[in-house]
Amino acid sequence: MKLKKFISLALLSLFVFNIQAQEGYELWLDYKKIQDTTVKKKYASFLNNIELIGNSSTIQAIKDELQLARTGFEFENSDPSGNSKLIIGIQSNLPSSLKSQIDTENLGNEGYTITSLNNKETIVISGNSDVALLYGTFGLLREMQQKNDISNLNIEEKPKIQKRVLNHWDNLDRTVERGYAGFSIWDWHLLPELIKPEYKDYARANAAIGINGTVLTNVNSNALILTPHYIEKVKALAEVFRPYGIQVYLTARFSAPIELGDLDTADPLDEDVKKWWKNIADEIYSEIPDFGGFLVKADSEGQPGPFQYDRTHVDGANMLAEAVAPYDGIIMWRAFVYSEEDPDDRAKQAYDQFIPYDGKFADNVLVQVKNGAIDFQPREPFHPMFGAMPDTPLMMEFQITQEYLGFSSHLVFLPKLYEEVLDEDTFSDGENSPVAKVIDGTNSNKKLTGIAGVANIGTEKNWTGHPFGQANWYGFGRLAWDPYMDSKDIAKEWLKINFSNEENFVKPMTDLLIESREAVVNYMTPLGLHHIMATSHHYGPGPWVDDLGRPEWNPVYYHKADKNGIGFDRTSSGSDALSQYAKPIEEKYSSPETTPEKYLLWFHHLAWEYEMKNGKTLWDNIALHYQTGVEQVEEMQATWEEMEPYVNEREFEKTSMLLEIQLKEAKWWRDACLSYFQQFSNMELPEGVPEPEHNLEYYKSIERPFAPGINPSW
Ligand code: BDP
């Protein structure tokens, strides 16, 4: 009886494990059985003979991870053949025969080396801290997951950016603002007692891609998170994350001193206010000694801030910076600001507000700037602040969650978008001053550097909803570690780890991922169009919306379509936002002829008949781009259909169904936008673009009352 029960339990857990793996829960830590026996033997000979030097919770984490890998790869029962050995230890602890052969001097605290020595019979993972060893271990496992040759390794890796953080827009009631993968993974109600296994798996997944910080709470913040009741919960999470080198951060609501009932002002220059924040910092650090600091959204979209007291961003940021400075904490002060009273082009406002304060922020402040000046659009020119504040460390903010890119129903490979932004030349330090050099500190030799990604994670079994949403989390981490990485290489890496390293899979799927970003731009906002999504939830098209409280909330503000043409004139004859860029860009973009066509309508208002480089009119080009977007999704579908042999059934089915939705919605975008714009252009659709299936009124009438991701407090 007992045995029977045991067997059925064992079978059940095997089943659950299998289903979990099929659902994608394991992320990129799914150590799949290695089929090729030669490869298997080779890898196993190292992983079955490990010398791990040290003694800490991080060393324990390394040990656990290697064990998981050995089990997953099915090495446990293979012979420890030959003399192969894997040695993992910080450089100063290595046996003296190896020490002289491993140089970690320039690797800082997080960099690592993986080196083949002793006639290639020994692999040594080394660095200057236990966390570096953890990164190195993940580095070696990544090689194995891709089935790479490990016979002569000489890897040296060091992160180029210091603070590599996820921003969770998670509320204390577990809703997630702009979250499309279920509820928040932080179960505040049951913390600190209940430590879910997901917390550790989250830490493992992040450490594996080099993420070293997480902001647990929404930028539209709730002051309660700063109370002892919640700090105890935050502490519990910090303890799970610590061995994995991940610091926790919180969002600080600027008016907290008032809201928590202690003071009647939040004026940053008031002595009591300063003291209040210092006390809060003291309390937090006494519980969480490696607490990272605060992320602040102030004086933006209704959030409280220093302006109310006639103070500046610098006053606000520096006051908080002083409170955390004794503990090496930092303040990430967001530059996503625009004023409801300012009639000026929204794209100009953050620059105008911040540039005068260059060099005035305290040393432990990072100004966190979104990649573009409007808001996480499918495509935006880089934010003009990058390169315009040589004496202020600017932190990049990317969005991993797809607020404006089809939520978690559309397959869009975002590393391609990130790469485009990071590569753009700011000309801030002469030619070849890409955004990447601004944020990694190369330009102006910045001492503090950072990059943030707004997370796409939730309680869905596979964390991200869309199976391919995982690639965006993965890719963000890889680019945060090395912002010069090629997005194509990231795509390949992820595909091999996640599915298969067979060329017939990797090649077409890499092309699909890379193309997917251009597809979404084409079927949503081609040629520089932007912010024409439906109101509030931003799902689906809404170019006709013109009745919202603030002008810059309305799509008509951004496309400015009328019978004379379409586009936002940001040259000197318009809002002159262009002048915020360096001279070479300003000059090049001031004429539509020399503006890259992908940004055309971002900077210019042009007649529908305007002739473009291909000799066709602007109207024809707009229509053809929408059509191309639809066709690209059709191609994605066709490619995916061929991939069935390489992926598990559940992910195959799910992705197929999601691509079907994506295709339907790409057509919806095309038809709705073209019907709307056609009223102004009064021109026929060019050949190859079908007539919309419905009339404009139909598209206008579509509502999505319960679209996810909306903050319930709005
Ligand atoms: C916008 C989102 C809003 C965020 C805001 C922000 O629509 O939900 O609160 O950005 O970044 O993209 O603060």
Side-chain angles (χ1 to χ4, degrees), residues 527 566 601 606-608 610 612 616-622:
L527 297 170
I566 181 169
L601 302 176
L606 298 169
W608 298 104
Y610 171 79
M612 291 187 51
K616 296 192 166 85
T617 62
L618 173 61
W619 166 250
D620 279 2
N621 272 282
I622 292 175

Side-chain angles (χ1 to χ4, degrees), residues 684-704:
E684 295 285 307
L685 287 172
E687 208 183 305
V689 183
E691 286 300 322
E693 222 177 298
H694 304 277
N695 65 17
L696 181 58
E697 287 318 304
Y698 168 84
Y699 296 113
K700 282 186 175 175
S701 72
I702 297 177
E703 281 184 19
R704 297 257 175 178

Side-chain angles (χ1 to χ4, degrees), residues 169 177-178 219-220 297 301 334 336 370 375 403-404 538 714:
W169 285 358
E177 185 160 335
R178 310 310 183 183
V219 285
N220 295 320
K297 172 176 178 178
E301 299 186 325
R334 292 178 90 228
F336 179 66
K370 287 189 182 181
D375 196 10
E403 173 181 353
Y404 294 96
H538 300 150
W714 295 345

Side-chain angles (χ1 to χ4, degrees), residues 488-670:
K488 226 173 170 170
D489 292 337
I490 298 175
K492 280 189 195 147
E493 216 177 76
W494 182 79
L495 288 164
K496 288 184 190 172
I497 293 173
N498 215 51
F499 298 107
S500 160
N501 72 333
E502 289 199 38
E503 194 55 18
N504 288 344
F505 173 77
V506 178
K507 169 88 185 56
M509 284 304 292
T510 304
D511 294 347
L512 181 153
L513 290 190
I514 296 301
E515 186 89 0
S516 66
R517 187 311 181 89
E518 207 55 41
V520 76
V521 172
N522 283 333
Y523 66 72
M524 286 189 183
T525 51
L527 297 170
L529 286 173
H530 50 287
H531 219 304
I532 55 173
M533 290 75 188
T535 304
S536 174
H537 52 64
H538 300 150
Y539 198 75
W544 44 81
V545 177
D546 62 359
D547 59 352
L548 303 177
R550 289 166 58 161
E552 75 287 339
W553 281 348
N554 292 290
V556 295
Y557 170 91
Y558 296 99
H559 63 65
K560 303 206 185 303
D562 59 22
K563 63 178 183 5
N564 299 320
I566 181 169
F568 200 128
D569 182 2
R570 292 196 164 101
T571 67
S572 53
S573 56
S575 81
D576 203 23
L578 191 50
S579 66
Q580 295 181 335
Y581 289 94
K583 275 279 165 276
I585 301 181
E586 189 187 347
E587 277 164 24
K588 187 168 170 207
Y589 291 16
S590 39
S591 148
E593 272 73 42
T594 47
T595 301
E597 289 192 342
K598 62 183 179 183
Y599 299 139
L600 194 62
L601 302 176
W602 188 282
F603 290 110
H604 301 280
H605 186 83
L606 298 169
W608 298 104
E609 300 79 12
Y610 171 79
E611 190 182 316
M612 291 187 51
K613 292 198 183 87
N614 61 5
K616 296 192 166 85
T617 62
L618 173 61
W619 166 250
D620 279 2
N621 272 282
I622 292 175
L624 289 166
H625 271 274
Y626 274 106
Q627 176 60 17
T628 303
V630 170
E631 287 165 12
Q632 283 169 307
V633 181
E634 279 165 349
E635 282 160 26
M636 283 159 68
Q637 257 188 330
T639 304
W640 183 248
E641 281 307 309
E642 302 292 310
M643 298 301 132
E644 195 166 3
Y646 307 100
V647 297
N648 77 53
E649 202 184 317
R650 283 179 176 241
E651 282 175 314
F652 179 76
E653 291 297 328
K654 185 167 181 180
T655 302
S656 301
M657 289 188 273
L658 287 167
L659 282 170
E660 199 57 49
I661 296 176
Q662 188 169 355
L663 178 61
K664 197 173 104 198
E665 297 187 346
K667 290 179 181 165
W668 171 30
W669 267 95
R670 176 196 62 194

